């Protein structure tokens, strides 16, 4: 071994040890590794920040914005309510969730697809009375499997495509991953549907502040208008959209007040007084196309910066003792009161006539510029930052059209993936699918920084000849193995490494080694690169190897040891299926 090779192995080995130690965030570790690599001379000064201009960073960041746009539109939830309104058994609910998550993960970032469907899983959980843990871990694994099907489904596929282009001059295309990836997704989803019982029922014993706030019941009101399509229909038809989480306390028709019986026939102009959680209220209002109380904020026509926030009326607030009508909130402040929550009380009067008290929690709608000044002037305390979609404008089909256009452009070869998805992310902003102020919230900054920092560090293995050295060792070990054994060795190695590294980092380290390994044995590199992508994308053993597993860890109330119970047999199935499929689709000779 040469001195540069020893230094390259030392820097990457130290970095992996710190990753496993898990005392520092992964982006900080990656940046420190980059600085160390520069200091010891294995990364030249002029290549130190080459990762920040790499297509991988653009693709991953753009995919996160596009995913956020699809999630914000609520189109998936609306489609399930429309086409599958009566799913009441655990098996049918789980099958639908896993299939939808897997298919979505093929076209948007898999963590984005999972985030879209988690609220639906909680709704199903309440219907069946089962623990959310029975849904969430299988959904996370289905998201990982679905991401294997296309180039943009998961970060490893994006990274390995660029590395193939560097090695052979030709990148993998959008659907080169589909034959093997779709087979694995089908087999894996079937396993998860029939063997979900391996997951223990857990409860989230330490809910976060945001989850605790989500238990709060709000009082609001909404009116049946021309666009709603509920003129002449029963009240129960609207309440069903809330999955039992929304109740009606009264129906106001002109000067009359009607009892909210389920079989009451609604008429145009009826105002329904509703009670429920903010997410459930939003589902009812948005899916039924009802009109909330208040008027259109003028800024909505100009800047698209209208938002809804939660705030508590403090004991020193001058709002105490006044109603929204008396304060003329809209006329004076251009702010709408959308909902009120008062602990231990069910409000029965109209929203504009509710006399506010200390401790009331309000949902206020207004311009992002006007709301902070209002909260400060009237001594209201904003609650923990979270998305409140009640009262926000959403264009349901626009994000789907944008996503379809990006996919079509890449599939037809009209534009590279980076360009197509950057344009798609930009279109999400231009067409106001995502407010401008929320764009950077959608970007996962730590992941992007980690990728940019790791690209030159991992490339040091190639530039110093370290990857060829490891490939020689593996080649010597696998010299007596048949082709499928050599391919399985790379796949298992990638699977073993990815629980301790971020999956994209695993590809950056393992793919050059796999390519050199294939060259040493006299094989084509494509099957080995695909094996690395599959191994890095299939972390079913820990909650820390992939963001999807981490995302469901807390809400599912899981323990670290719960993941191997379902993940270990699934990993064996992936190995048994993927090796022959890779040899069939990507011949070694």
């Amino acid at each position: 071994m040469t001195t540069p090779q020893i230094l390259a192995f030392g820097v990457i080995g130290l970095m992996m040890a710190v990753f496993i130690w898990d005392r520092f965030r992964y982006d900080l570790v990656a940046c420190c590794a980059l600085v160390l690599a520069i200091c010891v001379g294995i990364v030249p000064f002029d290549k130190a920040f080459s990762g920040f201009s790499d297509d991988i960073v653009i693709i991953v960041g753009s995919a996160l914005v596009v995913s956020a746009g699809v999630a914000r539109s609520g189109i998936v939830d609306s489609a399930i309510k429309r086409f599958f309104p009566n799913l009441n058994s655990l098996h049918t609910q789980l099958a639908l969730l896993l299939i939808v998550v897997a298919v979505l993960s093929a076209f948007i970032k898999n963590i984005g697809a999972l985030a879209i469907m988690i609220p639906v899983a909680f709704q199903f959980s309440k219907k069946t009375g089962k623990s959310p843990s029975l849904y969430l871990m299988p959904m996370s694994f289905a998201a990982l499997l679905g991401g294997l099907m296309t180039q943009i489904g998961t970060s490893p596929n994006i990274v390995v495509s660029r590395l193939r282009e560097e090695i052979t001059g030709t990148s993998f295309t959008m659907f080169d991953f589909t034959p093997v990836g779709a087979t694995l997704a089908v087999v894996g989803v079937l396993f998860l549907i029939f063997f979900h019982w391996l997951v223990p029922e857990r409860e989230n014993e330490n809910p976060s502040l945001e989850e605790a706030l989500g238990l709060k019941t709000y009082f609001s009101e909404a009116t049946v208008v021309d666009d709603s399509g509920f003129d002449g229909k029963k009240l129960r038809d609207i309440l069903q959209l809330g999955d039992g989480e929304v109740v009606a306390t009264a129906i106001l028709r002109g000067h009359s007040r009607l009892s909210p019986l389920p079989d009451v026939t609604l008429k145009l102009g009826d105002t329904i007084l509703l009670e429920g959680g903010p997410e459930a209220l939003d589902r009812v209002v948005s899916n039924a196309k009802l009109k909330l109380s208040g008027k259109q904020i003028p800024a909505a026509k100009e800047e698209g910066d209208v938002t809804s926030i939660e705030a508590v009326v403090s004991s020193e607030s001058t709002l105490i003792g006044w109603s929204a009508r008396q304060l003329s909130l809209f006329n004076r402040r251009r702010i709408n009161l959308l909902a009120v929550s008062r602990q231990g009380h069910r409000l029965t009067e109209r929203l504009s006539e509710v006399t506010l008290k200390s401790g009331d929690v309000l949902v206020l709608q207004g311009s992002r510029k006007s709301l902070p000044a209002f909260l400060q002037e009237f001594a209201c305390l904003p609650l923990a930052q979270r998305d409140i979609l009640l009262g926000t404008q959403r264009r349901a089909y626009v994000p789907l059209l944008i996503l379809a256009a990006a996919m079509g452009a890449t599939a037809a070869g009209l534009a590279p993936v980076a360009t197509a998805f950057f344009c798609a992310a930009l279109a999400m902003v231009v067409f106001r699918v995502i407010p401008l102020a929320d764009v950077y919230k959608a970007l996962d900054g730590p992941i992007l920084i980690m990728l940019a920092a790791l690209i030159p560090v991992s490339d040091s293995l190639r530039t110093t000849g370290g990857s060829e050295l490891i490939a020689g060792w593996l080649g010597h070990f696998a010299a007596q193995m048949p082709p499928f054994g050599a391919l399985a060795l790379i796949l298992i190695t990638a699977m073993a490494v990815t629980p301790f590294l971020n999956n994209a980092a695993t590809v950056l380290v393992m793919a050059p080694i796999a390519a050199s390994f294939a060259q040493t044995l006299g094989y084509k590199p494509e099957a080995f690169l695909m094996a690395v992508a599959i191994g890095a994308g299939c972390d079913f053993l820990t909650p820390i190897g992939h963001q999807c597993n981490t995302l469901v860890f807390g809400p599912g109330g899981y323990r670290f040891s719960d993941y191997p119970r379902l993940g270990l047999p699934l990993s064996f199935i992936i190995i048994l299926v993927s090796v022959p499929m890779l040899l069939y689709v990507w011949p070694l000779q």
Side-chain angles (χ1 to χ4, degrees):
M1 290 179 65
T2 64
T3 300
Q5 289 173 347
I6 294 173
L7 291 173
F9 284 124
V11 170
I12 291 178
L14 178 61
M15 179 186 70
M16 292 178 67
V18 178
F19 273 131
I20 296 170
W21 190 25
D22 200 27
R23 289 289 300 272
F24 305 99
R25 204 168 68 181
Y26 46 80
D27 55 330
L28 178 62
V29 175
C31 289
C32 290
L34 174 59
V35 172
L36 181 58
I38 295 170
C39 292
V40 299
I42 59 174
V43 173
F45 289 112
D46 60 342
K47 299 292 184 183
F49 304 113
S50 58
F52 288 90
S53 62
D54 198 283
D55 284 355
I56 298 173
V57 177
I58 302 299
I59 294 170
V60 172
S62 299
L64 288 171
V65 174
V66 173
S67 298
V70 175
R72 186 181 179 87
S73 71
I75 187 67
V76 176
D77 184 60
S78 299
I80 289 176
K81 291 289 185 299
R82 180 175 180 180
F83 298 110
F84 305 97
N86 299 313
L87 290 179
N88 295 314
S89 73
L90 174 63
H91 277 91
T92 55
Q93 291 175 347
L94 190 60
L96 176 64
L97 288 172
L98 298 187
I99 292 170
V100 171
V101 167
V103 172
L104 285 178
S105 296
F107 302 106
I108 60 178
K109 199 80 168 65
N110 47 18
I111 190 171
L114 179 62
I116 292 170
M117 298 304 297
I118 282 178
V120 182
F122 276 99
Q123 295 168 33
F124 284 166
S125 171
K126 290 177 182 177
K127 271 188 176 182
T128 59
K130 300 289 186 180
S131 169
S133 65
L134 298 178
Y135 298 85
L136 296 182
M137 188 186 294
M139 286 172 61
S140 175
F141 291 174
L144 299 183
L145 292 167
L148 302 177
M149 291 194 286
T150 64
Q151 186 182 23
I152 54 104
T154 187
S155 301
N157 292 359
I158 299 170
V159 178
V160 86
S161 296
R162 182 185 68 86
L163 291 174
R164 188 210 183 193
E165 185 176 15
E166 289 183 357
I167 295 167
T168 67
T170 304
S171 172
F172 287 121
T173 63
M174 177 66 71
F175 297 107
D176 278 347
F177 297 85
T178 304
V180 178
T183 303
L184 295 176
V186 170
V187 172
V189 166
L190 288 174
F191 169 82
L192 293 171
I193 291 173
F194 291 105
F195 290 90
H196 69 275
W197 49 267
L198 291 172
V199 182
E201 287 199 53
R202 304 288 190 197
E203 296 296 335
N204 185 6
E205 298 177 356
N206 298 299
S208 65
L209 176 60
E210 182 171 324
E211 292 167 332
L213 293 173
L215 302 175
K216 192 174 293 298
T217 298
Y218 281 97
F219 166 82
S220 186
E221 63 181 55
T223 303
V224 180
V225 294
D226 290 328
D227 294 338
S228 67
F230 278 85
D231 182 21
K233 294 189 177 180
K234 304 295 185 182
L235 175 62
R236 68 167 70 91
D237 297 330
I238 285 184
L239 297 182
Q240 283 176 351
L241 300 174
D243 295 315
E245 299 177 47
V246 175
V247 298
T249 59
I251 299 174
L252 307 179
R253 181 174 296 167
H255 297 291
S256 303
R257 186 184 186 95
L258 307 179
S259 297
L261 301 176
D263 59 350
V264 170
T265 301
L266 298 173
K267 294 184 178 180
L268 202 64
D270 282 356
T271 296
I272 310 170
L273 305 188
L274 300 169
E275 188 176 37
E279 291 183 357
L281 286 173
D282 177 62
R283 289 199 302 272
V284 170
V285 171
S286 60
N287 291 332
K289 297 182 180 179
L290 304 178
K291 181 183 179 300
L292 287 167
S293 61
K295 301 178 182 179
Q296 184 175 0
I297 307 294
K301 299 178 180 178
E302 302 170 3
E303 305 172 20
D305 68 340
V306 173
T307 188
S308 299
I309 64 170
E310 296 170 292
V312 180
V313 179
S314 71
S315 58
E316 291 128 19
S317 175
T318 53
L319 295 177
I320 297 173
W322 294 82
S323 67
R325 176 172 294 175
Q326 291 171 324
L327 291 167
S328 297
L329 278 183
F330 181 82
N331 292 332
R332 295 182 181 178
R333 302 285 177 173
R334 292 296 185 264
I335 288 175
N336 287 321
L337 176 63
L338 299 184
V340 177
S341 175
R342 181 172 297 166
Q343 188 173 8
H345 292 275
R346 169 169 284 185
L347 303 173
T348 56
E349 60 264 54
R350 294 204 64 151
L351 193 61
S352 60
E353 297 171 355
V354 173
T355 301
L356 301 178
K357 296 183 178 181
S358 175
D360 285 352
V361 182
L362 315 178
V363 176
L364 301 169
Q365 180 195 54
S367 164
R368 295 178 188 273
K369 296 178 181 178
S370 63
L371 282 172
F374 174 85
L375 297 179
Q376 183 176 12
E377 181 179 350
F378 288 94
C380 293
L381 307 175
L383 289 180
Q385 181 80 30
R386 65 168 175 170
D387 290 330
I388 294 293
L389 298 180
L390 184 65
T392 58
Q393 295 288 331
R394 275 163 286 173
R395 303 164 185 243
Y397 297 102
V398 173
L400 293 185
L401 294 175
I402 293 172
L403 179 59
M407 293 295 302
T410 55
L414 300 177
V417 176
T419 304
F421 272 79
F422 179 80
C423 292
L426 181 62
M428 291 287 181
V429 180
V430 171
F431 290 100
R432 299 179 182 177
V433 176
I434 301 178
L436 190 58
D438 289 345
V439 172
Y440 293 101
K441 294 179 185 177
L443 294 172
D444 192 338
I447 285 292
L448 299 181
I449 294 295
M450 185 209 70
L451 280 173
L454 275 181
I455 287 170
V457 174
S458 63
D459 195 48
S460 67
L461 274 182
R462 180 186 61 82
T463 56
T464 61
S467 57
E468 286 82 359
L469 191 63
I470 296 178
W473 294 339
L474 289 175
H476 177 73
F477 180 74
Q480 306 304 319
M481 287 185 174
F484 70 85
L487 192 60
L489 179 63
I490 288 294
L491 176 61
I492 293 170
T493 302
M495 276 188 168
V497 171
T498 196
F500 308 107
L501 285 180
N502 177 274
N503 57 358
T506 297
V507 176
L508 288 169
V509 173
M510 284 294 303
I513 295 172
S516 297
F517 178 62
Q519 186 178 15
T520 301
L521 296 176
Y523 298 139
K524 293 180 180 179
E526 284 79 8
F528 290 88
L529 292 174
M530 283 282 185
V532 170
I534 292 170
C538 292
D539 173 31
F540 306 124
L541 302 179
T542 72
I544 59 172
H546 194 280
Q547 290 172 301
C548 289
N549 293 350
T550 306
L551 184 64
V552 301
F553 185 67
Y558 298 118
R559 299 171 186 169
F560 200 98
S561 59
D562 291 340
Y563 284 77
R565 295 178 62 170
L566 183 65
L568 191 59
L570 180 57
S571 298
F572 281 120
I573 290 173
I574 295 301
I575 294 170
L576 291 175
V577 175
S578 59
V579 171
M581 280 298 299
L582 285 170
L583 291 172
Y584 175 75
V585 177
W586 300 98
L588 299 184
Q589 300 291 345

